[in-house]
Amino acid sequence: MDTCRIPENASKCSGNTMECFMVLSTQAQKISIGILCGLFGTMCVFENSLVLYLIFSSPGTRKKPSYLFIGSLALADILASIIFVCSFVNFHVFNDAGFSKEVFLLQLGGVNTSFSASLSSLLLTALDRYISISRPSEYKLLMTRKRAWTALAVLWVTCATIAYLPLLGWNCCMLDSTCSELFPFVDDNYLSGWICSIMVLLGCIVYAYAHVLWRAHQHVAYMEKHQAQAGKQNTRMRMDVMLAKTLVMVLAVLMLCWSPVLVLMIYSIFARLSDHLRKVFAFCSTLCLLNSMVNPIIYALRSKELSSSLRRVFSQFRRQLKAAEESPEAESSHKCSVIET
């Protein structure tokens, strides 16, 4: 399998071409990928599902646009984890190449949609935080729930449309063009365009967060000078500053996890990748799952409302568990007293 080479023309759309992309040659590599995907994927689904539950089970959070955007991020991470783990493990670990071009591009489109929606949700959250900090008196008028839902709908439709362009015909088999060395059937020009869109998206996120941090710094200085006037306005500003710092932490983790994948994608466009680099790319791809797994942990640790909701859920669970344990003992005690009587 290591001797398999990927042609630079469209002839790699032939029947056995999928085997050329199965770069894991040893059992140890397959087991490692399987463990990483299983661990990260399971934790990601559990943690993000918990975040969604905390957001939509509390009237105080599900009505706020900020948490609607965070909920969109959690949903995107759940979908990405499920689709990515199932398709990635099935392909690289079990070496299943018995599916058609359309099925593969459908799976790839699902992964791209989810990860693109995750990044786009971060951008909407950054814009939401900037408006909240820079124009607090007009925030409720500018950022309504209706506008938030509309923005999320446009976000998901746009991400899905771009992600499924290869399935709709923009692939190297249909166009008889140069194929990517990293993804079967994917046209190099499409991959270049997708990378450019992701880089623009990341640039917009960084730019928005730079303004958020600048405004947050100004508010911190303001609160230090007007501590005597501490009240509701200062309390809200502290919450905005805390959430802004939380989302910057999310962005930092995002950049660390996605940089290796994007660098190798860009490199593959301008130069041929060795078998070793393609194996590195396979392992680096699991960092995307790690990013989706870390985000909810940051929310739970940094968001005051989510952390308090989490404590409330755990306390309710403990009470129910304690009641379930005490109930049989009480019933047994009651039966004993009846027998003695």
Side-chain angles (χ1 to χ4, degrees):
M1 191 168 295
D2 284 341
T3 59
C4 184
R5 291 294 180 266
I6 305 169
E8 296 183 357
N9 51 37
S11 64
K12 76 175 167 182
C13 296
S14 58
N16 295 326
T17 181
M18 299 290 285
E19 295 180 359
C20 297
F21 293 87
M22 298 175 181
V23 296
L24 304 182
S25 56
T26 66
Q27 196 66 23
Q29 293 172 356
K30 295 179 181 180
I31 292 175
S32 300
I33 284 288
I35 292 175
L36 289 174
C37 288
L39 177 62
F40 292 164
T42 302
M43 292 298 296
C44 179
V45 171
F46 171 75
E47 293 170 0
N48 284 286
S49 298
L50 182 60
V51 169
L52 284 178
Y53 174 77
L54 294 177
I55 290 175
F56 290 99
S57 64
S58 172
T61 54
R62 67 168 175 258
K63 294 181 179 180
K64 294 182 178 181
S66 303
Y67 288 100
L68 290 179
F69 299 146
I70 292 177
S72 174
L73 175 63
L75 176 61
D77 287 337
I78 291 174
L79 294 177
S81 300
I82 295 174
I83 302 173
F84 177 85
V85 169
C86 292
S87 59
F88 197 77
V89 171
N90 190 46
F91 186 81
H92 284 290
V93 177
F94 297 108
N95 297 139
D96 182 10
F99 44 82
S100 64
K101 174 190 70 176
E102 289 74 20
V103 172
F104 177 83
L105 293 178
L106 182 67
Q107 294 175 349
L108 184 63
V111 174
N112 287 345
T113 298
S114 303
F115 281 128
S116 300
S118 178
L119 291 175
S120 301
S121 298
L122 274 178
L123 178 59
L124 288 181
T125 309
L127 296 175
D128 173 77
R129 286 300 86 204
Y130 177 71
I131 295 173
S132 176
I133 291 179
S134 62
R135 305 172 71 175
S137 60
E138 305 174 38
Y139 173 76
K140 290 186 177 180
L141 295 176
L142 295 174
M143 189 58 69
T144 62
R145 293 185 71 227
K146 182 178 179 180
R147 289 181 177 178
W149 282 112
T150 301
L152 289 175
V154 172
L155 178 157
W156 281 89
V157 170
T158 303
C159 291
T161 302
I162 296 175
Y164 282 105
L165 285 177
L167 182 63
L168 298 175
W170 192 352
N171 58 74
C172 56
C173 299
M174 294 287 292
L175 301 176
D176 193 27
S177 57
T178 303
C179 297
S180 168
E181 294 186 32
L182 295 174
F183 306 100
F185 314 120
V186 174
D187 179 70
D188 253 350
N189 292 326
Y190 170 79
L191 182 60
S192 301
W194 187 83
I195 293 174
C196 288
S197 66
I198 294 298
M199 297 297 288
V200 169
L201 192 58
L202 288 174
C204 292
I205 293 174
V206 172
Y207 180 80
Y209 275 114
H211 282 275
V212 168
L213 281 179
W214 179 62
R215 298 296 300 186
H217 175 73
Q218 286 187 326
H219 280 189
V220 169
Y222 174 85
M223 287 186 290
E224 290 176 352
K225 291 182 180 180
H226 301 81
Q227 244 179 352
Q229 302 175 1
K232 186 175 180 180
Q233 184 68 18
N234 278 358
T235 301
R236 172 163 184 177
M237 284 193 293
R238 286 192 181 95
M239 292 176 61
D240 289 338
V241 170
M242 173 68 82
L243 188 52
K245 292 180 179 179
T246 299
L247 296 174
V248 168
M249 292 175 62
V250 173
L251 178 61
V253 172
L254 175 78
M255 297 296 292
L256 289 174
C257 292
W258 273 84
S259 294
V261 172
L262 290 175
V263 168
L264 287 174
M265 283 185 183
I266 295 172
Y267 182 77
S268 71
I269 295 173
F270 298 101
R272 288 189 60 82
L273 295 176
S274 64
D275 291 338
H276 176 71
L277 284 179
R278 291 167 64 206
K279 290 177 184 178
V280 171
F281 178 80
F283 278 92
C284 287
S285 298
T286 61
L287 291 176
C288 302
L289 283 178
L290 178 62
N291 170 68
S292 299
M293 185 187 75
V294 171
N295 284 345
I297 298 176
I298 298 176
Y299 301 148
L301 293 177
R302 300 285 298 179
S303 174
K304 186 176 180 180
E305 292 177 283
L306 287 184
S307 60
S308 62
S309 297
L310 183 61
R311 286 194 297 269
R312 184 171 62 253
V313 169
F314 280 155
S315 63
Q316 291 175 354
F317 177 75
R318 284 197 299 267
R319 285 197 299 268
Q320 292 176 355
L321 189 62
K322 187 177 180 180
E325 291 176 351
E326 292 178 350
S327 180
E329 295 177 2
E331 184 178 352
S332 176
S333 176
H334 175 70
K335 288 182 179 179
C336 291
S337 63
V338 171
I339 292 174
E340 291 176 358
T341 304

